[in-house]
Amino acid sequence: MEVDFPETLEVEVTNRCNFKCFMCIRNVWNVKPLDLDLGLYRKLAECFPNLRKLVLYGFGEPFINPSFIEMLRIARSRLPEEGEVSINTNGSLLTPRIADKVVKDVGVDSIFFSIDTMDEAMLADIRRGADLGVIVRNLKYVAKLKGEARRNLSLGVEAVVMKDNLRGLPEFVRVLAEEGVDKILFSHVVPYMEEVLNQSLYVTLSKPSLEIIEPSLKYGWRLIRDSAQGVLSEVYTGNRRSGATDLVKDFWRRAERKGYWINLPLLFTLKKVVKSIREVEECFERCLKVAREYQVDLDLPSVYPDAKRRSCPYVDVNAAFVRSDGKVVPCSEFAYRHPLYVNAHVKDVHEVVFGDLRKESIESIWNKDVYVNFRRIRRGLSENVPWCGDCPYSALGCFFTKTSELDCYSNSPGCNECLYSVGLARCNL
């Protein structure tokens, strides 16, 4: 349903960070380090009475901004009583003294720590600059404060699932549950670099399509070659198609009956990952078992998408993203220009800016025709936007996969390879 005002705002109070995480977009961007100006934040706060939720986080560590505590006070005073204030942090700067102010004095509704493992050496390698001992001490202190909180406080942890930390995730969930964490959110990596792609544990083929074509893994690329040769032979000599041609045609026929396409080139490219998917599913099942035992809310990502069941997490909750320079963008994916390694190619994802709070109000930006139309299209994402993971052209150099500027349905920008839309990458909104 279209609304005249955003109901959720994700506000990047700074794009600076004291960590250099292995998988972070900051490794590939060319952006000026900047804190959100307090005066500009006060202007933005004029809209807070209309919000359902305010998420103070972006691509930086919020506690680096020297005005952050004051920003929290402004948020709490301006939001309606039922409005939520949520913080995401790497946990390194949320010392007991700061935590007292945030939890007991200001009164936030949720605090999420970003931690991927309880292995000290592994965490230091993933989140370079992280000291697990410091982060866990700060986490434990916040957990103890829940009984003294000004408002009912939810303590959460966000973790990125990778090959390196997969096997330790069930124990990770157990340890966090015993420390008093209420919610754990897992997300797959968003591959801004090839080395990050190599840590990924998901496929971008729709599950129904994958189940149809997975038996062809035993043939590999030979199946495509033999099928193509069979087609050419029939065209030029009149000889009957080869068995490979019949097999591929049968795959297509079965997929189309269910409303899907098949992407054999991508299947063969992701052969190793496809074979490890069952291990990922079993690990997630063990994590869920632990979470149920401790009554912890565990939010897991998909392992493969479904082209017919896509949605935009920002549009779903009527959310906008405010960058630290005051620019308003539709989501974190379109916040900054970056490369994306997906579907066996590299995509140039462009920033999408709908307005500037230094010159306009959030309400006027939200109601611009171009922004309204952006949201309208994405309210019917599965029908209005293609999913390139199931299309063989995506792995073979298709023009529409080179950048995010346009998809083959003529949508601009294109969300045709968005990992968030299929539940592989997760947003804490």
Side-chain angles (χ1 to χ4, degrees):
M1 181 182 68
E2 188 57 59
V3 293
D4 294 331
F5 225 97
E7 296 179 311
T8 299
L9 279 182
E10 182 174 358
V11 180
E12 183 182 63
V13 298
T14 183
N15 63 21
R16 297 189 296 135
C17 191
N18 56 335
F19 286 4
K20 188 175 176 59
C21 298
F22 158 75
M23 60 288 190
C24 185
I25 191 175
R26 297 166 53 80
N27 294 306
V28 296
W29 74 8
N30 182 24
V31 176
K32 178 183 177 182
L34 186 67
D35 296 336
L36 180 63
D37 178 73
L38 183 57
L40 190 57
Y41 179 83
R42 290 184 189 278
K43 176 185 176 183
L44 178 64
E46 294 174 6
C47 83
F48 288 179
N50 299 287
L51 294 183
R52 179 186 62 82
K53 187 173 184 179
L54 178 67
V55 181
L56 294 171
Y57 176 68
F59 290 107
E61 167 52 43
F63 285 96
I64 283 182
N65 188 321
S67 300
F68 186 52
I69 300 300
E70 179 60 19
M71 290 177 168
L72 289 174
R73 290 195 179 102
I74 294 169
R76 188 70 280 158
S77 67
R78 296 287 293 167
L79 260 75
E81 178 60 27
E82 67 277 12
E84 297 181 38
V85 178
S86 180
I87 301 171
N88 290 35
T89 174
N90 62 34
S92 63
L93 303 178
L94 188 51
T95 62
R97 181 179 67 85
I98 298 297
D100 282 340
K101 293 181 180 180
V102 171
V103 177
K104 295 164 68 174
D105 298 344
V106 176
V108 300
D109 298 278
S110 67
I111 300 175
F112 275 78
F113 283 68
S114 294
I115 314 172
D116 310 300
T117 175
M118 287 298 171
D119 183 305
E120 186 172 4
M122 185 182 296
L123 184 67
D125 189 51
I126 295 172
R127 298 188 179 268
R128 295 154 191 168
D131 184 324
L132 182 62
V134 170
I135 296 169
V136 170
R137 282 197 298 272
N138 292 343
L139 176 75
K140 288 182 175 181
Y141 189 78
V142 173
K144 290 179 181 178
L145 282 183
K146 285 196 291 181
E148 306 174 54
R150 180 179 165 185
R151 293 169 65 92
N152 185 31
L153 175 66
S154 175
L155 176 59
V157 166
E158 290 185 292
V160 179
V161 178
M162 294 172 281
K163 289 179 181 177
D164 285 349
N165 67 347
L166 177 70
R167 293 184 180 179
L169 290 180
E171 178 65 10
F172 177 74
V173 172
R174 184 191 66 78
V175 171
L176 291 175
E178 291 179 348
E179 295 297 349
V181 169
D182 303 300
K183 181 172 182 177
I184 303 170
L185 173 68
F186 286 166
S187 174
H188 288 294
V189 291
V190 177
Y192 303 120
M193 299 166 287
E194 188 171 5
E195 54 266 40
V196 178
L197 175 66
N198 294 334
Q199 280 286 325
S200 65
L201 288 167
Y202 57 85
V203 296
T204 48
L205 296 154
S206 289
K207 185 177 181 180
S209 175
L210 176 62
E211 289 174 339
I212 291 170
I213 62 178
E214 191 170 3
S216 67
L217 279 174
K218 61 185 177 183
Y219 302 108
W221 290 95
R222 177 168 52 89
L223 178 64
I224 295 177
R225 184 193 66 225
D226 291 352
S227 176
Q229 288 177 344
V231 170
L232 291 173
S233 175
E234 184 175 21
V235 169
Y236 291 105
T237 69
N239 293 334
R240 188 182 179 279
R241 295 185 304 272
S242 69
T245 304
D246 290 337
L247 183 59
V248 172
K249 188 170 183 178
D250 180 61
F251 287 156
W252 272 105
R253 189 164 45 240
R254 289 164 57 195
E256 288 177 340
R257 278 201 298 264
K258 294 184 176 183
Y260 295 90
W261 283 27
I262 65 169
N263 189 348
L264 288 172
L266 184 60
L267 174 71
F268 301 144
T269 300
L270 298 177
K271 182 177 181 178
K272 290 183 179 179
V273 180
V274 170
K275 289 185 175 181
S276 69
I277 288 298
R278 186 57 197 156
E279 180 185 354
V280 179
E281 291 179 314
E282 290 172 353
C283 178
F284 283 179
E285 289 169 5
R286 293 196 301 273
C287 289
L288 280 172
K289 183 178 179 181
V290 175
R292 285 192 292 266
E293 179 184 347
Y294 284 91
Q295 296 184 320
V296 172
D297 183 2
L298 177 61
D299 195 346
L300 292 169
S302 305
V303 179
Y304 16 54
D306 187 331
K308 296 167 73 173
R309 296 181 180 178
R310 288 175 289 142
S311 66
C312 172
Y314 284 82
V315 170
D316 286 349
V317 296
N318 293 311
F321 185 109
V322 179
R323 295 193 326 197
S324 57
D325 60 359
K327 301 286 182 65
V328 178
V329 300
C331 60
S332 58
E333 182 69 357
F334 286 141
Y336 298 100
R337 186 171 184 173
H338 62 82
L340 178 67
Y341 287 74
V342 62
N343 295 327
H345 65 266
V346 185
K347 188 185 198 78
D348 183 10
V349 179
H350 292 232
E351 67 178 25
V352 178
V353 176
F354 286 124
D356 188 340
L357 290 176
R358 292 170 296 186
K359 306 171 185 176
E360 309 162 90
S361 69
I362 188 68
E363 183 177 11
S364 65
I365 296 170
W366 181 261
N367 288 292
K368 286 182 178 180
D369 288 345
V370 63
Y371 199 177
V372 171
N373 190 54
F374 175 93
R375 297 192 300 273
R376 179 188 60 79
I377 290 171
R378 284 146 190 85
R379 291 196 191 284
L381 195 68
S382 296
E383 296 76 30
N384 298 332
V385 178
W387 177 246
C388 297
D390 295 335
C391 176
Y393 297 112
S394 69
L396 298 172
C398 173
F399 167 82
F400 294 105
T401 64
K402 294 184 184 300
T403 78
S404 62
E405 291 184 298
L406 188 71
D407 68 31
C408 62
Y409 287 9
S410 297
N411 297 309
S412 180
C415 298
N416 42 309
E417 296 181 287
C418 175
L419 300 178
Y420 296 91
S421 72
V422 288
L424 296 172
R426 306 303 304 279
C427 299
N428 184 27
L429 290 174

